[in-house]
Amino acid sequence: MQLPNFMMIISSSPGLSLLLWVFISMILLYMARRPAHEAILSVTKILFHGFRLFASSILIAEKKLKHRNKEVLLSSGKEATERIIEREFERIDAFVKKDLAHFPTLQREITDSVIKLDEDYQKSTEVPPAPPGWTKAIEPIAAIPPSEDSMVAEILKSIKEALDKGQEKALTSYRKSSEQRHSYLKNMVPMLRHINKSVDGLDKNVQTLLDRSATVDRHMDEYAEITKKTDKAAQMLSSSSMTQFFIAGFVLAIAIGGAFINFNLISRPMQEMVGGSVYMMGFKVADIAALVIILVEISMGLFLMESLRITRLFPVIGALDDKVRIRMIIVSFVFLFLLASVEAGLAYMRELLSADDAALVAGLLGGATVEGVDSSGRWITTAAQMGMGFILPFALTFIAIPLESFIHSSRTVIGVAVAAFLRFFAVSLRFLGNLSRYSGKTLVNIYDLFIFGPLWIEGLVRGTQQAKPLVKIQGIPVEEEKLPSPKRKPTRKSTAKKVEDSETELEEIKE
Amino acid sequence: MKTIILSLILIFGFSACTTGPHKAHNKGVYMLVDTSGTYTKELKKAQQIINYTLSQLESGDSFVVASIDTGSFSEKDIIAKITFDDRPSKANQQKRAFQQKIEAYIKSVKSSPYTDITGGLLQATEYLNERDTRTKTVMIFSDLKQELKKGYKRDIPLSLDGYDVVALNVTKLRSDNIDPQEYMDRLELWKGRVESGGGKWDVINDLERLDKLIQE
């Protein structure tokens, strides 16, 4: 090992020079021990407090962000619940108007039916036929014993015939009245069925109403929780928001896949319209044009959904007058329809170009390309491409729904992610703070290790002179007499320092 | 409608923001076909390569086929040249016409007594530099045996920076069979000339490997 020239104390022996340098540095370091210790400890303390301060400010920012997240979450949750409750009430209103509006009529019908039933029932009561009055009168005559007298026999025969006739007449009348009673009872059956059906319908309607009212109650409870700004409500909304975020993201990814297929369908035929070798910013103009068409379709879809009040991305559209809104629906639908028709046309042109390319390649490569598909079946692919070209723009319209969910939920999700990041950052800073603090103590110990020789001699000297006992303060041996006297009243500064130290210790314990 | 207008404004705005020189995106391919001596028998293969190249080129690309004969540094040696139309359908028509022109030429070609490859290369670089294409490929369909007529000077350094030079179907001559070193020296000579000019050199003798023919 070669030492630099200026370090060569003894020019002939670098080893001895090095040893001398070590000795000199040990002496110097021993002499500068106390200020060096203080410097090391103060620097690490500054670092410790700096990191802690930074961590505290980040934690405050995190707390504010959390509060803001909660506010955003609760406000969006409140809005969403209001929407749901509003919709439920609209449904109940529509239901009441539709199904329960004719309740008085139904009630009247049932009352009429009951009255009629009562009447019929009354009519159907069996009335015993009144015995004819003259039968009692002829009873004594009928009791006369039959005799040979032809006159009497004739009279009795006549009486019997009259009696039989009367009985027959009474029986006929009775049968007729019974038949009528039965007809009344028969007529009661459909009426009873009608009443039963009406009552059943009413019961069903009431049950539906009860179910709806239970749903409203549940939503009202949620709404009350949100209004109270409870943690439970915030947690519930947060998890719901996360779910929404991932579901909406998944659906959006599918929609992007659809848009990509759509793009491939129209980018090639677009070259026929705008040229295949024209570039803009490194991209083919044909590709840009195809992309613009798809984006315009998506925009039209958004406007359509917004005008239909299915989504609420643009409050201005939602707040428009109904007349203007309906016009907007018509206009955006017409645009969408026209663009879909254009796409279908482009898809047809793509098929023509593909056929031309295939024919050209086959011709150039001398029939190397085998005709794999029967040309008679080409109409299937043509029709499929045209169909896709026409349907996809309408399908892309529905992007608006997951997009709205994604945008709303992403506010919460991003907020939560940033808060988590801030938390992690603050914890890391606190860790660094503690690390710098303990590294100060370690450095002090390493310092003492390097000057172990002088320290050992000092110990020996102190031992012989019955050295004053050493007290360790923060790992540094200090002579007891140099410490402030216990009788001395502690100054304000030292008390503050102690408080600070105890606070630091407490914080460490907490950590 | 608003969105369309906005999109257009955005596109034109962006295009206005992009400054700097015009950047080409098309490909330029120049094919030199050796018509000297018995090599004319190989022209059917050249036609296959031309057809394959035609199938690979797109709208806006340029393609030239020129012959290598006694004095190849001339526009007269250009058999057919084309820059394909922007519209793909029109480009396909041009490809068909080009193919027919080459077919007619191959039927009527007469062999030349000398082989001026350097002259052909110079002509190719001159043409492609003028076209200012993004990629520049020169294909040499030849046995690479240069035979110059007396008085022709071709010891000119080649300037081939940004060029891909591909030697195709480099057949072995009878003398190569006796001394294969001659064949290797010939390849090495052309490789050295091209690479010293700043170009990239490649040899494709297997026509199944044509997918590496044109640089993307």
Side-chain angles (χ1 to χ4, degrees):
Chain A
M1 198 180 107
Q2 283 290 320
L3 282 174
N5 282 336
F6 72 91
M7 287 181 78
M8 292 292 278
I9 300 167
I10 302 161
S11 56
S12 57
S13 169
L16 208 60
S17 302
L18 187 69
L19 208 65
L20 274 170
W21 271 115
V22 169
F23 180 73
I24 291 164
S25 55
M26 271 173 93
I27 298 296
L28 288 174
L29 286 171
Y30 175 73
M31 285 162 75
R33 186 177 169 237
R34 188 172 296 279
H37 279 190
E38 278 171 5
I40 290 168
L41 287 172
S42 62
V43 165
T44 51
K45 203 171 178 182
I46 286 167
L47 281 173
F48 168 70
H49 283 292
F51 280 128
R52 283 187 71 81
L53 195 69
F54 200 11
S56 303
S57 60
I58 285 172
L59 280 175
I60 290 165
E62 188 232 342
K63 207 174 169 185
K64 275 185 186 170
L65 188 70
K66 264 188 173 174
H67 182 69
R68 176 246 171 214
N69 283 350
K70 193 177 171 183
E71 287 293 321
V72 167
L73 204 62
L74 289 171
S75 119
S76 62
K78 195 176 169 185
E79 198 185 327
T81 319
E82 273 172 4
R83 269 172 80 172
I84 293 168
I85 292 169
E86 196 183 309
R87 201 156 288 178
E88 280 298 329
F89 274 119
E90 275 169 11
R91 277 177 193 155
I92 288 171
D93 182 50
F95 177 76
V96 167
K97 273 181 189 162
K98 189 186 157 196
D99 292 327
L100 297 183
H102 56 267
F103 181 71
T105 321
L106 191 73
Q107 194 188 15
R108 200 164 52 245
E109 266 178 27
I110 290 170
T111 314
D112 289 351
S113 299
V114 169
I115 290 166
K116 197 157 188 301
L117 271 175
D118 192 44
E119 281 172 3
D120 284 353
Y121 179 74
Q122 292 298 330
K123 281 176 191 169
S124 68
T125 317
E126 194 176 356
V127 184
W134 45 268
T135 48
K136 279 188 179 176
I138 60 165
E139 264 174 10
I141 298 165
I144 299 169
S147 63
E148 297 294 319
D149 192 355
S150 61
M151 259 315 265
V152 173
E154 195 68 29
I155 289 164
L156 284 172
K157 197 183 172 187
S158 299
I159 288 167
K160 190 180 179 285
E161 276 174 2
L163 209 62
D164 285 348
K165 222 173 181 177
Q167 271 180 351
E168 201 177 321
K169 208 174 175 183
L171 194 66
T172 312
S173 161
Y174 178 71
R175 277 180 184 157
K176 207 174 176 183
S177 72
S178 283
E179 199 180 336
Q180 206 170 1
R181 279 199 308 277
H182 277 126
S183 76
Y184 283 134
L185 286 169
K186 202 178 173 185
N187 285 340
M188 278 163 76
V189 174
M191 214 170 279
L192 279 167
R193 276 186 193 146
H194 175 70
I195 290 169
N196 191 34
K197 202 178 165 187
S198 303
V199 170
D200 275 357
L202 204 62
D203 184 49
K204 208 174 165 185
N205 288 345
V206 169
Q207 193 56 46
T208 315
L209 208 59
L210 283 171
D211 289 346
R212 288 210 184 281
S213 66
T215 314
V216 172
D217 278 351
R218 204 180 66 240
H219 289 304
M220 281 305 285
D221 287 344
E222 280 174 21
Y223 187 73
E225 287 278 333
I226 294 167
T227 319
K228 280 179 201 161
K229 295 184 178 182
T230 59
D231 286 342
K232 187 188 162 192
Q235 205 173 350
M236 191 181 72
L237 289 170
S238 173
S239 78
S240 159
S241 212
M242 289 276 186
T243 317
Q244 279 293 307
F245 180 77
F246 287 111
I247 292 170
F250 178 67
V251 177
L252 274 182
I254 293 170
I256 289 166
F260 182 72
I261 291 170
N262 206 0
F263 173 79
N264 277 324
L265 266 178
I266 61 169
S267 64
R268 171 113 171 100
M270 264 289 166
Q271 292 182 7
E272 280 293 307
M273 291 161 75
V274 294
S277 61
V278 189
Y279 283 78
M280 191 183 278
M281 295 176 289
F283 296 99
K284 273 187 180 175
V285 170
D287 290 350
I288 295 172
L291 195 68
V292 167
I293 285 188
I294 291 167
L295 291 176
V296 171
E297 282 167 2
I298 291 172
S299 311
M300 286 300 146
L302 283 178
F303 291 148
L304 187 62
M305 286 288 174
E306 204 67 23
S307 311
L308 286 167
R309 285 191 178 154
I310 293 171
T311 56
R312 292 184 184 184
L313 284 167
F314 304 101
V316 182
I317 298 177
L320 280 175
D321 179 42
D322 275 0
K323 213 173 174 181
V324 182
R325 206 167 48 80
I326 288 163
R327 273 184 204 159
M328 201 160 170
I329 291 170
I330 294 164
V331 169
S332 43
F333 183 78
V334 166
F335 267 104
L336 205 58
F337 185 82
L338 289 175
L339 286 167
S341 307
V342 168
E343 271 209 22
L346 287 171
Y348 178 68
M349 191 187 269
R350 183 182 188 273
E351 186 57 28
L352 291 182
L353 285 172
S354 301
D356 190 31
D357 284 350
L360 176 76
V361 170
L364 288 173
L365 303 181
T369 323
V370 183
E371 280 189 28
V373 185
D374 182 16
S375 57
S376 63
R378 285 194 79 88
W379 68 270
I380 298 171
T381 49
T382 312
Q385 286 192 43
M386 286 180 72
M388 274 169 76
F390 190 77
I391 291 165
L392 278 172
F394 290 105
L396 285 175
T397 303
F398 293 96
I399 274 186
I401 300 166
L403 185 72
E404 189 190 30
S405 295
F406 190 78
I407 290 168
H408 286 313
S409 57
S410 62
R411 283 177 76 192
T412 315
V413 173
I414 291 169
V416 168
V418 173
F421 172 74
L422 286 178
R423 183 94 192 152
F424 173 75
F425 194 40
V427 168
S428 306
L429 285 172
R430 287 178 83 109
F431 173 74
L432 282 174
N434 284 338
L435 199 73
S436 63
R437 186 177 185 193
Y438 289 107
S439 67
K441 288 177 182 174
T442 314
L443 281 173
V444 164
N445 289 336
I446 291 167
Y447 189 98
D448 283 354
L449 188 69
F450 188 71
I451 53 166
F452 73 96
L455 282 178
W456 178 65
I457 295 162
E458 185 192 326
L460 282 179
V461 172
R462 279 181 191 277
T464 51
Q465 287 180 357
Q466 288 183 334
K468 287 111 192 167
L470 290 173
V471 185
K472 273 199 169 183
I473 293 175
Q474 289 190 350
I476 311 159
V478 180
E479 286 169 20
E480 203 176 16
E481 64 176 16
K482 287 181 182 173
L483 286 171
S485 166
K487 284 174 189 172
R488 205 186 299 162
K489 200 180 173 184
T491 58
R492 190 176 287 175
K493 195 180 170 184
S494 63
T495 315
K497 192 174 179 295
K498 273 183 186 172
V499 169
E500 194 189 333
D501 283 347
S502 61
E503 273 177 0
T504 318
E505 291 296 327
L506 265 172
E507 277 169 10
E508 273 173 26
I509 290 160
K510 274 181 195 172
E511 278 162 17
Chain B
M1 197 64 201
K2 266 184 178 177
T3 321
I4 299 171
I5 295 164
L6 265 173
S7 307
L8 288 173
I9 290 167
L10 272 173
I11 289 166
F12 286 114
F14 276 124
S15 64
C17 291
T18 51
T19 51
H22 167 73
K23 198 182 167 189
H25 291 87
N26 52 350
K27 287 174 267 189
V29 182
Y30 199 105
M31 185 167 174
L32 294 165
V33 182
D34 193 343
T35 56
S36 64
T38 54
Y39 201 78
T40 44
K41 287 176 190 169
E42 302 284 330
L43 287 180
K44 273 282 167 197
K45 283 183 188 172
Q47 196 184 1
Q48 277 178 33
I49 294 166
I50 291 166
N51 285 347
Y52 176 78
T53 311
L54 278 173
S55 72
Q56 296 300 303
L57 294 175
E58 292 169 2
S59 299
D61 294 343
S62 296
F63 187 33
V64 181
V65 177
S67 62
I68 297 173
D69 53 16
T70 308
S72 307
F73 186 55
S74 163
E75 281 83 6
K76 284 177 188 169
D77 283 316
I78 292 175
I79 303 161
K81 62 176 176 181
I82 193 96
T83 296
F84 296 112
D85 195 83
D86 271 350
R87 286 168 299 160
S89 57
K90 179 79 180 162
N92 283 354
Q93 287 172 16
Q94 288 173 320
K95 284 176 185 176
R96 286 193 182 96
F98 195 94
Q99 184 205 14
Q100 283 165 11
K101 213 170 175 180
I102 296 294
E103 207 170 339
Y105 171 77
I106 285 168
K107 278 178 187 165
S108 62
V109 69
K110 286 173 188 168
S111 66
S112 67
Y114 297 98
T115 318
D116 175 18
I117 299 171
T118 312
L121 262 174
L122 288 170
Q123 181 60 41
T125 52
E126 193 191 66
Y127 180 84
L128 290 177
N129 284 342
E130 211 172 288
R131 292 300 309 168
D132 190 26
T133 52
R134 181 174 62 88
T135 64
K136 297 177 179 78
T137 308
V138 180
M139 299 192 284
I140 308 170
F141 187 80
S142 166
D143 53 14
L144 296 181
K145 176 95 176 165
Q146 183 162 261
E147 287 170 317
L148 294 172
K149 196 179 175 183
K150 201 177 176 184
Y152 279 66
K153 284 188 176 177
R154 290 292 184 263
D155 52 348
I156 307 157
L158 298 166
S159 175
L160 294 166
D161 193 24
Y163 275 81
D164 256 17
V165 181
V166 188
L168 296 161
N169 195 45
V170 186
T171 50
K172 281 96 184 173
L173 304 171
R174 199 172 294 164
S175 56
D176 295 338
N177 212 358
I178 298 160
D179 180 8
Q181 191 58 44
E182 263 187 40
Y183 176 77
M184 286 172 203
D185 287 346
R186 207 160 66 239
L187 283 178
E188 205 53 44
L189 170 81
W190 280 105
K191 189 184 177 192
R193 284 194 75 184
V194 169
E195 286 181 350
S196 65
K200 226 173 109 187
W201 174 257
D202 199 7
V203 179
I204 298 176
N205 282 330
D206 180 7
L207 296 189
E208 299 292 316
R209 222 159 55 86
L210 288 177
D211 52 319
K212 291 176 181 172
L213 200 62
I214 305 162
Q215 58 169 313
E216 287 300 320

